Amino acid sequence: MNDSDPRATRTGRPRSTAADAAILEATRASLVDLGWSKLTMSDVANRAGVAKTTLYRRWAGKNELVVDAVAVLFDELELPDRGSLAADVQGVVLQFAALLERPEARTALMAVVAESTRDDSLRLRIRSAIVDRQKRLVLLGRERAQARGELRYEDDSSAAARNADLIFDVIAGAVVHRTLVSAEPVDSAWASGFTSLLLLGLAGAQAG
Amino acid sequence: MNDSDPRATRTGRPRSTAADAAILEATRASLVDLGWSKLTMSDVANRAGVAKTTLYRRWAGKNELVVDAVAVLFDELELPDRGSLAADVQGVVLQFAALLERPEARTALMAVVAESTRDDSLRLRIRSAIVDRQKRLVLLGRERAQARGELRYEDDSSAAARNADLIFDVIAGAVVHRTLVSAEPVDSAWASGFTSLLLLGLAGAQAG
DNA sequence: TTCCTTACGCTACGACCCGTAGCGTAACTG
DNA sequence: CAGTTACGCTACGGGTCGTAGCGTAAGGAA
């Protein structure tokens, strides 16, 4: 979470895991009530019933705290096998969209990404805590589609990786842009339109 | 810019247009040097050689100021006719990407979008100042492709609008996500891969 | 138990930014 | 000329930041 290496047996009073949970919960609550820009460390500390200094002992600042607080939302992401690539893609799209409907995520995600444009360590933290959790759904969906015979197994592994990155940016980017920039709902009609566009593109790429 | 209705002939001392330009220029410079989060109204005022109160007389706050400061970058967007839909799409993608390479835009765009999730008037301001300027390129590209015979003229106008919105979210979203979230470069290789994926999808939609 | 070590709560602090009020002056109009 | 609006400047209360210092709490080791 924040400690680089919590060596198993250490002397002294251990950190309160209850405080950890309370702080992250309080951070999400504060995001809902106040939004990113008005969230303050003092407010989070008050909500968590914890001293402000305790926050700073664990997180360098607001950026890191919010990333960790929002990251757990992405653990809920799942990809049940819906039987076809089209159904799986639509499932991923609707899950991303549902996540972006939550006010904690809406206000926090773009903000931390914006911060990360000037903070490499924050960018890496976001990648491992959030982006990789999303991307694994795309990789899983591809594997399934290959097992079904809907997609070819690619022999050039680096090209395959580039391809997966492209698909991921297209899916996640489109959903985020639709939700937060265009500010229009990702309903099942939009999801199916997007899915068919993407799948027709993939089918065309398979063909020639 | 900020005044709702600058009725032509007004009495009193007119607002300095030189100050307007200096302020917006100073805002971009501050974005480059400090980034969104560390930009302050006082710093902008100092750079512009203007009193802080002058800023507040024209803009409600940092959000509105930065939107206007960055909006002019999107005026540079053009879409020369490159002879085919594929070339035009690739042109748009590379232009968006070049814009997102600029540090003012990188740090400001996601930040104001994040703010707009809790501020409807800011969202509308972003839409008219930035998003619509991008979207018009997509609409222009579609018209040209239709004139060339690469795309059909759609009879259902509301479906056509939904389709254009979808394409726009896909293009802009993918480029933004690739650049700011994945933090990978949008080079011509990626642009051509993305373009062919999109065009194959569109071709498939035309067919069946 | 008694030390040792680390975590916690609390208070206080200087530094900074915010947004506004008040005032005298500058610029333009009729 | 008088009237009106914009500007620069100063000053202010209110808020957040991040840290230091201290006494206390909660574990492990001798």
Side-chain angles (χ1 to χ4, degrees):
Chain A
M1 173 162 320
N2 36 44
D3 271 345
S4 54
D5 183 7
R7 336 174 176 37
T9 52
R10 291 223 312 171
T11 173
R13 176 178 178 174
R15 285 193 173 168
S16 163
T17 58
D20 277 324
I23 291 169
L24 294 176
E25 171 65 29
T27 303
R28 287 186 291 272
S30 187
L31 282 173
V32 173
D33 290 351
L34 305 179
W36 161 268
S37 58
K38 294 184 180 172
L39 177 147
T40 68
M41 298 297 266
S42 303
D43 178 73
V44 172
N46 288 337
R47 288 173 191 258
V50 157
K52 189 173 59 163
T53 46
T54 298
L55 266 67
Y56 282 104
R57 288 192 187 100
R58 308 181 185 209
W59 288 277
K62 182 171 160 175
N63 293 340
E64 292 77 7
L65 173 60
V66 168
V67 169
D68 286 357
V70 172
V72 305
L73 301 180
F74 288 81
D75 286 330
E76 304 169 5
L77 292 177
E78 289 179 8
L79 186 60
D81 191 333
R82 292 181 171 83
S84 72
L85 177 55
D88 280 359
V89 169
Q90 192 151 350
V92 169
V93 166
L94 291 175
Q95 282 212 26
F96 281 9
L99 223 163
L100 291 176
E101 288 300 317
R102 302 179 65 162
E104 322 90 283
R106 288 180 84 88
T107 187
L109 269 184
M110 289 296 97
V112 296
V113 168
E115 292 297 307
S116 77
T117 61
R118 305 204 119 230
D119 183 340
D120 284 340
S121 69
L122 182 63
R123 187 170 52 74
L124 295 177
R125 193 189 198 95
I126 293 172
R127 185 190 296 273
S128 63
I130 296 178
V131 178
D132 286 348
R133 283 181 166 85
Q134 298 177 293
K135 190 180 268 184
R136 89 184 154 170
L137 298 191
V138 172
L139 299 176
L140 178 58
R142 178 176 66 173
E143 279 181 38
R144 284 199 193 134
Q146 288 170 333
R148 289 191 202 101
E150 295 178 292
L151 290 178
R152 279 204 314 248
Y153 287 95
E154 304 174 68
D155 36 328
D156 183 344
S157 70
S158 83
R162 282 199 304 275
N163 227 348
D165 288 347
L166 173 61
I167 306 296
F168 173 59
D169 283 326
V170 168
I171 295 177
V175 172
V176 168
H177 200 273
R178 166 83 176 177
T179 305
L180 300 184
V181 178
S182 297
E184 302 279 349
V186 172
D187 49 22
S188 62
W190 187 90
S192 85
F194 170 78
T195 300
S196 77
L197 178 67
L198 176 62
L199 262 60
L200 287 168
L202 291 177
Q206 299 277 9
Chain B
M1 173 162 320
N2 36 42
D3 270 348
S4 54
D5 183 7
R7 342 181 178 18
T9 50
R10 291 224 311 172
T11 172
R13 178 177 177 175
R15 285 196 173 166
S16 163
T17 58
D20 278 324
I23 291 169
L24 294 177
E25 171 66 28
T27 303
R28 287 187 291 271
S30 187
L31 281 172
V32 173
D33 290 351
L34 305 179
W36 161 268
S37 58
K38 294 183 181 172
L39 176 147
T40 67
M41 299 296 268
S42 303
D43 178 73
V44 172
N46 288 337
R47 287 174 191 257
V50 157
K52 189 172 58 164
T53 46
T54 298
L55 267 67
Y56 283 103
R57 288 192 186 100
R58 306 180 186 210
W59 288 278
K62 182 172 159 176
N63 293 339
E64 291 78 6
L65 172 61
V66 169
V67 169
D68 286 356
V70 172
V72 304
L73 301 180
F74 288 81
D75 286 330
E76 305 170 4
L77 291 177
E78 290 179 7
L79 187 60
D81 191 333
R82 292 181 171 82
S84 72
L85 177 56
D88 280 359
V89 169
Q90 192 152 350
V92 169
V93 165
L94 290 174
Q95 282 212 27
F96 281 10
L99 224 163
L100 291 177
E101 288 301 316
R102 303 181 65 161
E104 322 90 282
R106 289 180 84 86
T107 187
L109 269 184
M110 289 296 97
V112 296
V113 169
E115 293 298 308
S116 77
T117 60
R118 305 205 119 230
D119 182 341
D120 284 340
S121 69
L122 182 63
R123 186 170 54 73
L124 295 178
R125 193 189 198 97
I126 293 173
R127 183 190 297 273
S128 63
I130 295 179
V131 178
D132 286 347
R133 284 182 167 84
Q134 298 177 294
K135 190 179 270 184
R136 126 195 110 151
L137 298 190
V138 172
L139 299 176
L140 177 58
R142 178 178 66 173
E143 279 182 38
R144 285 200 193 134
Q146 288 171 333
R148 288 190 203 101
E150 295 179 290
L151 289 178
R152 279 205 312 247
Y153 288 95
E154 304 174 69
D155 35 328
D156 182 344
S157 70
S158 83
R162 281 199 306 274
N163 227 350
D165 287 347
L166 172 62
I167 306 296
F168 173 59
D169 283 326
V170 168
I171 295 178
V175 172
V176 168
H177 200 273
R178 167 82 175 176
T179 305
L180 300 184
V181 179
S182 298
E184 303 279 348
V186 171
D187 50 22
S188 62
W190 187 90
S192 85
F194 170 77
T195 300
S196 77
L197 177 66
L198 177 61
L199 262 60
L200 287 168
L202 291 176
Q206 299 276 10

